[in-house]
Amino acid sequence: MRSIRPSPGAATSGALLGTALVLALTCATSAAQAQQSERGGGRAPLVLKEQGMFYLGGDIVHTDAANGPNGPTFLGKSGDIAINQMYVGFMLPQSEHGAPIILMHGGNLSGACYETTPDGRMGWYEYFARQGHAVYLPDQVSRARSGFNVTPFNEVAAGTRTPSELPNLLVLTKAASWEVFRFGPSLGTAFPGEQFPVEAIDELAKQSIPDQNAEFESPPGTNLTPTRLAALGVKIGGAVLMGHSESGFYPEQAALVDPTGLQGLISMEPATCNASTLAAGQIAKLAKIPTLVVFGDHLADVPTTSVNWPAALDDCQKYVDAINAAGGDATMLHLPDAGVFGNSHMLFQDKNNIQVGRMVLSWIDQHVGGKSHKS
Amino acid sequence: MRSIRPSPGAATSGALLGTALVLALTCATSAAQAQQSERGGGRAPLVLKEQGMFYLGGDIVHTDAANGPNGPTFLGKSGDIAINQMYVGFMLPQSEHGAPIILMHGGNLSGACYETTPDGRMGWYEYFARQGHAVYLPDQVSRARSGFNVTPFNEVAAGTRTPSELPNLLVLTKAASWEVFRFGPSLGTAFPGEQFPVEAIDELAKQSIPDQNAEFESPPGTNLTPTRLAALGVKIGGAVLMGHSESGFYPEQAALVDPTGLQGLISMEPATCNASTLAAGQIAKLAKIPTLVVFGDHLADVPTTSVNWPAALDDCQKYVDAINAAGGDATMLHLPDAGVFGNSHMLFQDKNNIQVGRMVLSWIDQHVGGKSHKS
C-alpha cells in the first residue's frame, strides 16, 4: 500500500517547496486506484497487537453536587469525584512501522470523527494503524468519553449558582457547519468537485458533542487539553501530534508546555497559527520539532464572517516561514497547490481522505521517521 | 482458549440448575491458568476484518439555542441540529464464530467500561472479539460519544427557561460506587477476597460520564436507549444483547419494543427484573428468547438503603422462573452458587473478568449458538 511513496531522501531538503511538489507528483498519479483499494471487500485483515483505552490525568475533587435536585436521592450528592481527565483510545499494530500518531479532534466533535467517515468509509484511525502506526485517539477534556464536571450544572439546578455561570455548550448547526467547513455556498448546495460526502451531512451532525471550551472568551490557559496531549506524548515515549480546527494549534501549544514527547507537529486547518503573537523564544522552541500545516480548498469561497480562512492560511504561512527562518523544518501543504482539489475543512472525512492521509504519512516518514519495523 | 468448554449438549436441558452446575465445574478447574494466559506478553495478535463506528437513529430538529449566551457569536445559535442519536463502536473478527454481541454499559458510565479495565487488563470488548464474536459497543443515548441536547442547558443560561428545568446530571462519588458496587464495607476497605481491583478506584472514577437518565423519576418510555438497542439488533441481523446495572433490564425492554433482532438477552446485575409488574403477554413474548441473568458476590454485605441487592436477586429469580414456566429458556447465574467468589457489581472489570466472560460465552454457545466459523 505504500508503493507510491517517493524514494527515500527524495524530499529531505527544500522542505518548503520541494515536499509540496513531490507530494503532488506522487499523489496525483495513483490516487484513484489507491482510494478504491482501501474500500470495500478487498480489504486485508487489520492485525493488532492490542487495542483499548486509558484515562490520562484528572483530579479527584470534593463536590456537594454530584447529583442534581431532580436526581435519585439514595446515591448521595457529596463526596469525591474525578474531573479534568482525558479519555484515550488506541490501536497498536502487530507489526509497527513509523512514528506513533495522536489524532486530536476539533471543536464540537470527538475522536469518533477519525473513525468511520459519515458515509461509512475507513477513517484515518484505522488507515494509519493499517499502515503500521500505533494510533492514539483521545476525546478532548470535558467532552464525550472524557466526561465533564457536573458541579456547576447541578448547582445552577439547585439554585446555589446563577444561570449565567453555566458553562457554555456549543454545537454547530447544519447550516453553520456547511459554511464553516466549506461544503458549498449554502446549505444543500455543494461546490463543484466538492470532496466532502455532502449526502451524509446528517451523519456529521450526529457526531456533534457539546463543546464547553468557549475558547474565544476564556482566558488563555484554562484549556487543559494541550497539557494532557504533552503528557500523552511523554507516556507513549514519543509521537507525532496532529490537531484539527479548534485543536489545530494544540500541537504547538502542547510543545510549548513540554516538547519532550513530541516528534512532529501537524496542524490541520487551524483558524490561526499565532504568527504575530509568538515570541522569538517560543518560535525557537517550536523550531526544534518538524512541523506540517495542512489546508484544503475553497478557502476564499465562503464568507469570512465566521472563520476567515484566507487570513488563516496567510498567518500559518508566516508561522511556517518563521519556523524555517529559525532553523526549523516546517512545511505548508495547501492541497490545491499540490494538485489536490475540492477538499473541505473535514479533509480526513472527504471522499479522497485516503489520498490526503497518505500525503500526511509521507511527510511523517520523510521528516520524522520513527520506530522502524518493530514487531 | 475455548478448550474448557463442556462437550456439546452437556447442558442443553435443565437450564435452571444444570447450566449453573456445569459452569461451576468447567470454570473452577482451569480458571487460574486461563486468566493468566489472557494477560501480558504472550497474547496472540487480534485479527480483525474491520473496526469502526456508526450512529444509530437520531432526529434532526430546529433549535434557537445551539450555543449559549457566553459562546462565540459568529457561529450562530439558530438552525438544525441532531439529537437522540446513539454512538456504536464495533470490532468484526476476521474469522467470526458464534453470535454477535452488543455490550451495553450501565449508569454513569460509557462503553469505555468494557474496554481496558481500570487496572489496565483486557476488557470484554477485546476478549469477546478474540473469541470470534463480532462485538458492538454503544454509548447510551445522551451520553459520551452519543452527545446530548444542548437546548435546555443553553436556554437556562440565557434566562428563557428556569433552572429547575435543567436535566439532571448524575455521577457517582467514590464512596457511593464503593458501596453500591460492593467493593467492601466502606471506602478504602475491601471485602476479603474481593475481585474488583480496588487500588484502581480513581481510574474507575475517571470513567464517570454525567448521566441524564434520572430514570427513577422519569416517566417510563422517555429513555430512548432500549429502542435504539432493538434497532441495533435488527441492523446487525441478529445479536445477543447484554445490559448491566442501570441497563441491566434494557435487553428485555428492547425485546418488548422489537424482538426480531435479538437472539439472546443477558441481564447483569439489574436492580430489578420487574417480575411483579410484567403482564403475562409480556412474559410470553420474552420467553421466546434465551435469557441469562448474572449476579456477583456479597449481595447481602452492603446496606440496602442504596440498592437492595438481595431483593434484586429474588426478583430476578422470580423472573427466570416465570420465563421458564412460560416455556422459555432462562438461566440464573449467581456466581457464588457456581463456585466463583468475590465478584463485585463490576464483574466484567474484576480480576477474574476473563473467567466470568468465558462463563457468559459458554452460555451463549449452548443456548444461542449463532453464526458458525464465518470468515
Side-chain angles (χ1 to χ4, degrees):
Chain A
M1 291 191 187
R2 305 184 109 177
S3 58
I4 66 155
R5 189 190 306 165
S7 59
T12 50
S13 64
L16 194 59
L17 291 175
T19 302
L21 198 63
V22 170
L23 288 170
L25 290 170
T26 55
C27 292
T29 49
S30 55
Q33 74 263 33
Q35 185 78 18
Q36 201 163 15
S37 76
E38 305 293 345
R39 297 169 62 174
R43 194 183 284 183
L46 171 64
V47 184
L48 301 178
K49 185 166 58 184
E50 191 181 350
Q51 63 79 51
M53 71 91 199
F54 54 85
Y55 281 87
L56 196 70
D59 306 304
I60 303 295
V61 298
H62 180 85
T63 184
D64 292 317
N67 199 347
N70 300 318
T73 55
F74 61 84
L75 295 169
K77 290 180 167 54
S78 294
D80 288 347
I81 62 172
I83 62 170
N84 297 334
Q85 66 274 25
M86 186 173 79
Y87 169 90
V88 186
F90 64 87
M91 288 199 286
L92 309 182
Q94 178 67 16
S95 179
E96 194 175 334
H97 319 269
I101 300 173
I102 302 166
L103 293 174
M104 180 79 260
H105 64 82
N108 169 56
L109 293 165
S110 75
C113 72
Y114 289 112
E115 297 186 273
T116 312
T117 68
D119 59 336
R121 289 171 293 109
M122 190 195 300
W124 283 9
Y125 185 42
E126 180 171 338
Y127 175 64
F128 288 179
R130 283 178 175 272
Q131 299 304 307
H133 295 266
V135 194
Y136 294 81
L137 191 68
D139 289 342
Q140 286 197 33
V141 175
S142 299
R143 206 177 310 168
R145 285 182 171 172
S146 293
F148 62 88
N149 186 5
V150 296
T151 300
F153 295 94
N154 286 335
E155 287 181 348
V156 169
T160 59
R161 190 189 279 244
T162 63
S164 64
E165 292 179 89
L166 276 176
N168 191 69
L169 295 176
L170 164 70
V171 296
L172 279 187
T173 65
K174 283 172 61 178
S177 62
W178 193 282
E179 176 183 308
V180 176
F181 297 174
R182 307 190 314 272
F183 300 157
S186 62
L187 179 60
T189 303
F191 290 124
E194 171 66 27
Q195 291 282 9
F196 186 80
V198 291
E199 73 281 6
I201 178 74
D202 286 0
E203 295 306 309
L204 176 63
K206 293 176 189 176
Q207 295 187 11
S208 290
I209 312 290
D211 182 335
Q212 298 191 29
N213 282 350
E215 58 191 336
F216 303 97
E217 278 64 39
S218 293
T222 58
N223 185 336
L224 290 168
T225 298
T227 303
R228 295 281 178 272
L229 291 170
L232 179 56
V234 171
K235 179 185 171 77
I236 293 168
V240 172
L241 174 55
M242 185 182 303
H244 171 246
S245 192
E246 174 187 70
S247 74
F249 209 67
Y250 287 8
E252 288 78 5
Q253 293 174 338
L256 291 174
V257 172
D258 180 1
T260 55
L262 301 175
Q263 303 176 321
L265 310 176
I266 301 181
S267 290
M268 295 194 296
E269 298 230 343
T272 174
C273 281
N274 302 288
S276 62
T277 56
L278 287 165
Q282 292 175 307
I283 291 288
K285 192 171 184 182
L286 291 167
K288 295 187 173 133
I289 309 174
T291 297
L292 175 68
V293 181
V294 186
F295 279 92
D297 203 349
H298 294 297
L299 299 183
D301 297 337
V302 295
T304 56
T305 45
S306 50
V307 177
N308 188 333
W309 291 120
L313 178 69
D314 287 347
D315 182 65
C316 289
Q317 184 62 61
K318 285 186 187 127
Y319 175 75
V320 163
D321 294 344
I323 293 293
N324 286 324
D329 172 14
T331 303
M332 168 61 76
L333 174 57
H334 181 206
L335 289 169
D337 293 344
V340 177
F341 299 98
N343 276 105
S344 76
H345 183 56
M346 303 298 285
L347 42 87
F348 49 90
Q349 298 186 335
D350 283 350
K351 287 178 277 189
N352 63 342
N353 68 329
I354 299 302
Q355 178 187 16
V356 178
R358 183 179 296 104
M359 296 169 85
V360 169
L361 292 186
S362 289
W363 178 86
I364 292 174
D365 285 343
Q366 294 164 21
H367 294 260
V368 179
K371 297 176 181 172
S372 60
H373 300 267
K374 195 180 78 174
S375 62
Chain B
M1 291 193 187
R2 302 185 111 174
S3 57
I4 66 156
R5 189 189 304 164
S7 59
T12 50
S13 64
L16 193 58
L17 292 175
T19 301
L21 199 61
V22 170
L23 288 171
L25 291 170
T26 55
C27 293
T29 48
S30 55
Q33 73 261 35
Q35 185 78 17
Q36 200 162 15
S37 77
E38 305 292 347
R39 295 170 63 174
R43 195 183 281 182
L46 171 65
V47 184
L48 301 178
K49 184 165 58 184
E50 192 181 350
Q51 64 78 49
M53 73 91 200
F54 54 85
Y55 282 87
L56 195 72
D59 306 305
I60 303 294
V61 299
H62 180 85
T63 183
D64 292 317
N67 199 348
N70 300 320
T73 55
F74 61 82
L75 294 169
K77 290 180 166 55
S78 294
D80 288 348
I81 61 172
I83 62 171
N84 297 334
Q85 65 274 24
M86 186 172 79
Y87 169 89
V88 186
F90 64 87
M91 287 198 287
L92 309 181
Q94 178 68 15
S95 179
E96 194 175 334
H97 319 269
I101 301 173
I102 302 166
L103 293 174
M104 181 79 256
H105 64 82
N108 170 55
L109 293 165
S110 75
C113 71
Y114 288 112
E115 297 187 274
T116 312
T117 67
D119 59 337
R121 289 170 295 109
M122 189 195 298
W124 282 9
Y125 186 42
E126 180 172 337
Y127 176 64
F128 288 179
R130 283 178 176 272
Q131 299 304 307
H133 295 266
V135 194
Y136 294 82
L137 190 68
D139 289 342
Q140 287 197 31
V141 176
S142 298
R143 205 177 311 167
R145 286 183 171 172
S146 292
F148 62 88
N149 186 5
V150 296
T151 300
F153 295 93
N154 286 334
E155 287 180 348
V156 169
T160 59
R161 189 188 279 244
T162 64
S164 64
E165 293 179 88
L166 275 177
N168 191 70
L169 294 176
L170 164 70
V171 295
L172 280 187
T173 66
K174 283 172 61 178
S177 62
W178 193 282
E179 175 184 309
V180 176
F181 297 174
R182 307 191 313 273
F183 300 157
S186 63
L187 179 60
T189 303
F191 290 124
E194 171 67 26
Q195 291 281 9
F196 186 81
V198 292
E199 73 281 6
I201 178 73
D202 286 358
E203 295 305 310
L204 177 63
K206 293 177 190 177
Q207 296 187 11
S208 291
I209 312 290
D211 182 334
Q212 299 191 28
N213 282 350
E215 60 192 336
F216 303 96
E217 279 63 39
S218 293
T222 57
N223 185 336
L224 290 167
T225 298
T227 303
R228 295 280 177 274
L229 291 170
L232 179 56
V234 171
K235 180 184 170 77
I236 294 169
V240 172
L241 174 55
M242 185 182 304
H244 171 246
S245 191
E246 174 187 70
S247 74
F249 209 67
Y250 287 8
E252 288 78 4
Q253 293 174 338
L256 291 173
V257 172
D258 180 1
T260 54
L262 300 176
Q263 302 175 322
L265 310 176
I266 301 181
S267 290
M268 294 195 295
E269 298 230 345
T272 173
C273 281
N274 301 289
S276 62
T277 55
L278 287 164
Q282 292 174 306
I283 291 288
K285 192 172 183 181
L286 291 167
K288 295 189 172 132
I289 309 174
T291 296
L292 175 68
V293 181
V294 186
F295 279 93
D297 203 349
H298 294 296
L299 300 184
D301 297 336
V302 293
T304 57
T305 44
S306 51
V307 177
N308 187 333
W309 291 120
L313 179 70
D314 286 349
D315 182 65
C316 288
Q317 185 62 61
K318 284 184 187 130
Y319 175 75
V320 163
D321 294 345
I323 293 293
N324 286 323
D329 170 15
T331 302
M332 169 62 76
L333 173 58
H334 181 205
L335 289 169
D337 294 343
V340 178
F341 300 99
N343 277 104
S344 76
H345 183 56
M346 303 298 285
L347 42 87
F348 49 90
Q349 297 187 335
D350 283 349
K351 287 178 277 189
N352 63 342
N353 69 328
I354 300 300
Q355 177 187 19
V356 177
R358 183 179 297 104
M359 296 170 84
V360 168
L361 292 185
S362 290
W363 178 86
I364 292 175
D365 285 342
Q366 295 164 20
H367 294 261
V368 178
K371 297 175 182 174
S372 60
H373 299 268
K374 195 180 75 172
S375 63

